[in-house]
Each structure stands twice: as structure tokens, then as C-alpha cells.
Amino acid sequence: MVTRRYHVDPTGDPHGPGVVYLHWFDEAPNANRSQFLDEARILAASGVVSVLPQLTFPWQHAPVDIETDLGRISTEVGYLRDVWSVLVDHDGVDPSRIAVVGHDFGAMHGTLLMRELETRCAVLVAATPRWADWFVRFWPITTDRYEYMRRMSGVDPVEAIRDAGCPVLFQFGDRDFYIAAMTARELVDAAPEPKRLLTYDTGHAMDLPDITRDRMAFLGEHLGIEIG
């Protein structure tokens, strides 16, 4: 049986918070459930339980048309609800102190999870407002592009983020080849307060130490923990 997620537990008893980490899409070695492992291990020292699921769409299944892609997004969100339940049911985890952290497509899926479940805070890294921003541009979608955009709009992050009921930190790179500043701004503007936007002199990989530092500080502030 293939393990579809990592669990990172504290060496001692959990102290309350939990984090769901959702990885990015790329050909890089860490474009999978391992991306945030080091970060999760640091949080474990502060009593945090983390779950890092392996995502599948579009990692394992390429976008093709409206019905197929809507079905696969729905399936992915259903899987993430199950992941959330595993975290909530973990001994010592406070269900009111759970954060979502996502990068790229992971962040986009994260907005849909946030719309359905109670989240203490969220960090969204290098996400685009619409699925079509990626799918129509980089995959041979068989559906008319305008019909595709219209039908997909109900699950677009720019719509889902409007229902965010928690503080959100947005992190973007000023030199991101794929995401223009105005595109990032559209997603940020759609989110209700409280929210924070931080930008960095880097590209889509978003792998500067300062990015991790700022994210950890945000999680520490809103989850009520001290991170050593």
C-alpha cells in the first residue's frame, strides 16, 4: 500500500495546534509531500502535529476538460477533508487551532478546504486566482476556453477565498515568471480582512530562508506557540 501522506508528531505530547501542509507542482525533487517536512519538524518541537498529504491533481492526472477536471478537484477536496479529520481526531490536537499552508496548486486546493472547514489561520504561497490560469495556458484542454473558465469559476480560489474566516498570509515572488503582480493582487484583494501580503525578490519556487522565517512567525502568532 502506498502511503499518501506524512505525519509529523512531537516527541512529547501535542500541545494543541495542527497544520495541514499542501505542496507545489514542479519537476523539482520536493514537488511532493516532502516539501514542508523540515518545517513540520521544527513545529513539532513546539508541540504541533502536521499532516503532509500527497496531492494528485494535476500531479498524477493532467487537466483535460470541464467535467473531468471538476470531478478531480472535488475528489481532491474530499481527500483533504479526510486528512483534516485525521488531524482533528489526533490525541491532543485542538480542532480550533489548525492552520493550512499551501504553495502553488497546494495553496489553490487549500482555499477550497478553508471554505468548508474552520481554520485558525492560513498561509498561501504563489497561488493564482483561477485554475484556468494554469490549465488553459499549459495543457491542451479540449473544451472551449471561455466555457471552461465560466464553468470552473465556482471552484476558483478567487471565489473560495472570499469565504475565508481566518487571518491569511499571502506570499509572492516579485520575479515569479508565472504570476504577475496584478494577478497576485487580484487574489489578495478578494480575501476578507485580516490579511497580510509579503513579497520577495525571488521566483516561483519561493525557497528563500526569509519566506520560511516569515511564515513560521505568522503561524506562531496565530496558533499561540513559541517557535525555537
Side-chain angles (χ1 to χ4, degrees):
M1 179 179 178
V2 176
T3 301
R4 292 190 61 194
R5 57 181 177 258
Y6 288 131
H7 292 249
V8 179
D9 294 339
T11 53
D13 293 333
H15 302 323
V19 179
V20 177
Y21 278 108
L22 305 174
H23 61 84
W24 71 319
F25 179 94
D26 193 72
E27 295 181 354
N30 72 339
N32 52 54
R33 61 197 169 116
S34 71
Q35 181 184 2
F36 293 107
L37 263 179
D38 288 343
E39 191 168 313
R41 289 168 176 151
I42 293 172
L43 289 179
S46 298
V48 178
V49 177
S50 297
V51 181
L52 303 88
Q54 177 64 48
L55 302 175
T56 61
F57 182 66
W59 290 261
Q60 297 178 19
H61 308 287
V64 289
D65 56 47
I66 292 170
E67 299 302 334
T68 302
D69 297 351
L70 283 173
R72 285 176 174 160
I73 290 172
S74 177
T75 298
E76 197 82 284
V77 174
Y79 169 56
L80 293 180
R81 283 197 298 267
D82 292 341
V83 168
W84 186 279
S85 296
V86 168
L87 187 55
V88 168
D89 292 341
H90 192 292
D91 289 341
V93 172
D94 181 351
S96 69
R97 295 170 65 197
I98 296 179
V100 172
V101 176
H103 180 191
D104 184 55
F105 283 118
M108 296 170 75
H109 283 297
T111 64
L112 299 177
L113 186 64
M114 292 163 57
R115 182 161 66 177
E116 298 189 13
L117 300 168
E118 179 185 352
T119 308
R120 175 62 66 92
C121 65
V123 184
L124 304 178
V125 185
T128 62
R130 297 171 180 83
W131 298 100
D133 294 341
W134 291 110
F135 294 169
V136 171
R137 184 179 177 187
F138 295 106
W139 279 274
I141 301 298
T142 60
T143 311
D144 174 80
R145 63 180 299 170
Y146 297 106
E147 178 66 7
Y148 187 89
M149 292 173 66
R150 185 185 69 82
R151 292 278 305 282
M152 295 289 284
S153 63
V155 294
D156 278 337
V158 72
E159 297 301 326
I161 198 65
R162 299 184 195 280
D163 298 323
C166 67
V168 181
L169 170 63
F170 293 91
Q171 297 182 301
F172 286 96
D174 289 330
R175 294 188 288 110
D176 193 323
F177 173 80
Y178 302 101
I179 304 176
M182 62 182 296
T183 302
R185 189 80 243 183
E186 182 182 7
L187 184 62
V188 175
D189 287 347
E193 296 288 352
K195 59 189 172 185
R196 187 183 309 169
L197 169 63
L198 297 177
T199 60
Y200 306 86
D201 183 24
T202 191
H204 193 65
M206 298 293 286
D207 53 4
L208 294 178
D210 286 355
I211 298 174
T212 302
R213 181 203 64 204
D214 291 343
R215 181 165 57 243
M216 299 283 272
F218 180 85
L219 292 173
E221 174 188 354
H222 292 284
L223 294 178
I225 57 173
E226 291 188 9
I227 301 173

